[in-house]
Amino acid sequence: MNSPQGSTLTTNMAGLVDGSTAREEVSHIDCLPVYVKELIAGGGAGAFAKTTVAPLERIKILMQTRTDGFRSLGVYQSLRKVLKHEGVLGFYKGNGASVVRIIPYAALHFMTYERYRGWILDNYSFMGLGPIIDLLAGSASGGTAVICTYPLDLARTKLAYQVTDTRTNFRSGIRSLYPQPAYNGIRDVLTSVYREGGIRGLYRGVGPTLAGILPYAGLKFYIYEVLKLHVPEEHQKSIAMHLSCGAVAGLFGQTFTYPLDVVRRQMQVESLQCSTIQGGTRYRNTLDGLTTIARNQGWRQLFAGMSINYIKMVPSVAVGFASYDMMKVWLRIPPRQKSQTVSS
């Protein structure tokens, strides 16, 4: 019964079973189109990175929009105040809208970057394979992702702008610390804004967003790929390498475009601020927003929250790039055509 032929047969049958299972597992991943894999990798990386820095993002918005009670506070004092009045969950207010937005945003951002990059290489081969291709593809992909997901970013900002006091007991309910309209969630924000201003209301502030994202996204990918060119081949797959290159790329890109982000935030919450001119809007366009803020609030306000933005940008962009590259390996996405070396 236990003959060598029987053992061999049993082994072969087990191998067939294991092999079929392995092939089935491989086929489930490999049968997906490459652009679908890129969407999955980008969305997962974006959600993970955004949740990592959600508390710092909440404080940054409160500082940018000059919310009552937070105008003269630093980062540490702001964190303590949110914790005191809203508890730990206060750090993640608006994060649901942020994650709902960042999944399609990051998915589109990374996927269209790969598509635009391939299209440029196929149609404009005379440009070579240098990082300039990443600059152009990154800018175009950033603009595409913003246009498709901007209403969700608007909802995230309006939710994060609200400050409530959760210390009140349940009999009296949760009360707002400041006279601001309360939204019950993403859907409530979107329906209310659409009812008041239509499609234009949902895209209030998209001008400075696009003006900021085009250079920022391009510089981010450009610097990231340039830095990777200087990394020795044996360290190309190191997680520390991806984190370091991503952090530097995010810092440089954000420095040049941060004032536009401040204008965008203030335009998004104009309807919630008591000082808004009744029946009108404070900023006519991006340039008017920059000059008005500098004139009325001081040029320093254009960089309000920048210190905390640096603190959150290091882990956010670093984790985003590292997660995306790691997920590309896990999803077995074919490596893109390598860039030319710096010397060439």
Side-chain angles (χ1 to χ4, degrees):
M1 293 295 293
N2 295 326
S3 62
Q5 292 85 353
S7 301
T8 303
L9 180 61
T10 302
T11 302
N12 290 338
M13 289 297 293
L16 287 173
V17 173
D18 293 341
S20 62
T21 303
R23 285 193 298 272
E24 183 180 359
E25 181 182 353
V26 170
S27 64
H28 283 317
I29 296 177
D30 293 342
C31 70
L32 293 174
V34 174
Y35 74 90
V36 174
K37 295 180 182 180
E38 291 166 351
L39 285 171
I40 296 173
F48 185 68
K50 183 62 67 175
T51 303
T52 302
V53 298
L56 297 175
E57 179 71 16
R58 173 85 197 283
I59 299 303
K60 188 193 77 168
I61 291 176
L62 293 174
M63 296 176 69
Q64 285 182 327
T65 54
R66 293 171 61 84
T67 303
D68 291 339
F70 290 86
R71 295 182 183 181
S72 59
L73 298 182
V75 175
Y76 178 69
Q77 291 84 357
S78 297
L79 288 169
R80 287 190 59 186
K81 187 164 187 175
V82 170
L83 180 62
K84 177 181 178 181
H85 291 290
E86 300 180 302
V88 175
L89 293 179
F91 292 135
Y92 294 90
K93 178 175 287 186
N95 187 57
S98 183
V99 171
V100 168
R101 179 193 74 92
I102 203 63
I103 290 177
Y105 174 84
L108 285 170
H109 192 15
F110 282 105
M111 187 275 289
T112 55
Y113 161 74
E114 302 285 0
R115 300 301 100 191
Y116 285 136
R117 187 179 187 278
W119 180 81
I120 293 173
L121 290 175
D122 291 340
N123 294 276
Y124 301 94
S125 57
F126 64 89
M127 298 181 67
L129 299 174
I132 190 66
I133 302 297
D134 300 294
L135 176 67
L136 297 175
S139 297
S141 64
T144 301
V146 163
I147 292 174
C148 293
T149 62
Y150 185 78
L152 292 172
D153 182 58
L154 179 72
R156 184 273 302 268
T157 300
K158 287 183 177 292
L159 288 172
Y161 180 68
Q162 297 178 136
V163 181
T164 56
D165 192 346
T166 58
R167 294 176 302 168
T168 56
N169 56 45
F170 288 100
R171 292 181 182 178
S172 59
I174 298 176
R175 60 183 177 86
S176 176
L177 286 177
Y178 312 109
Q180 302 164 358
Y183 294 110
N184 295 321
I186 302 172
R187 183 177 179 180
D188 186 29
V189 174
L190 295 178
T191 54
S192 298
V193 172
Y194 180 77
R195 188 163 50 246
E196 295 171 2
I199 295 296
R200 294 186 65 178
L202 291 174
Y203 280 85
R204 179 67 179 155
V206 73
T209 303
L210 287 174
I213 198 63
L214 293 178
Y216 169 67
L219 285 171
K220 184 175 66 173
F221 279 102
Y222 173 81
I223 295 172
Y224 182 68
E225 295 299 330
V226 166
L227 291 175
K228 286 171 63 178
L229 289 176
H230 292 79
V231 177
E233 187 68 28
E234 61 269 21
H235 299 298
Q236 284 289 331
K237 296 183 179 181
S238 168
I239 295 179
M241 182 277 296
H242 291 293
L243 289 172
S244 301
C245 293
V248 175
L251 287 172
F252 273 97
Q254 188 67 204
T255 300
F256 292 111
T257 61
Y258 189 79
L260 295 169
D261 189 50
V262 175
V263 175
R264 169 173 66 117
R265 296 298 184 195
Q266 293 206 12
M267 291 179 73
Q268 288 176 336
V269 300
E270 277 179 347
S271 62
L272 303 180
Q273 293 176 327
C274 300
S275 57
T276 303
I277 300 175
Q278 187 174 3
T281 54
R282 182 188 303 171
Y283 308 132
R284 294 187 300 272
N285 50 51
T286 304
L287 181 60
D288 181 50
L290 288 169
T291 56
T292 302
I293 291 175
R295 182 175 60 254
N296 297 340
Q297 303 174 23
W299 66 268
R300 292 179 182 273
Q301 180 60 31
L302 291 173
F303 296 92
M306 193 169 187
S307 59
I308 194 171
N309 201 62
Y310 278 142
I311 297 173
K312 85 176 187 65
M313 189 54 61
V314 172
S316 179
V317 178
V319 170
F321 271 123
S323 300
Y324 178 66
D325 283 342
M326 295 303 102
M327 290 193 70
K328 283 174 64 178
V329 174
W330 178 69
L331 291 170
R332 293 191 281 276
I333 297 176
R336 70 169 75 103
Q337 194 172 4
K338 291 186 177 181
S339 300
Q340 293 175 332
T341 61
V342 177
S343 59
S344 63

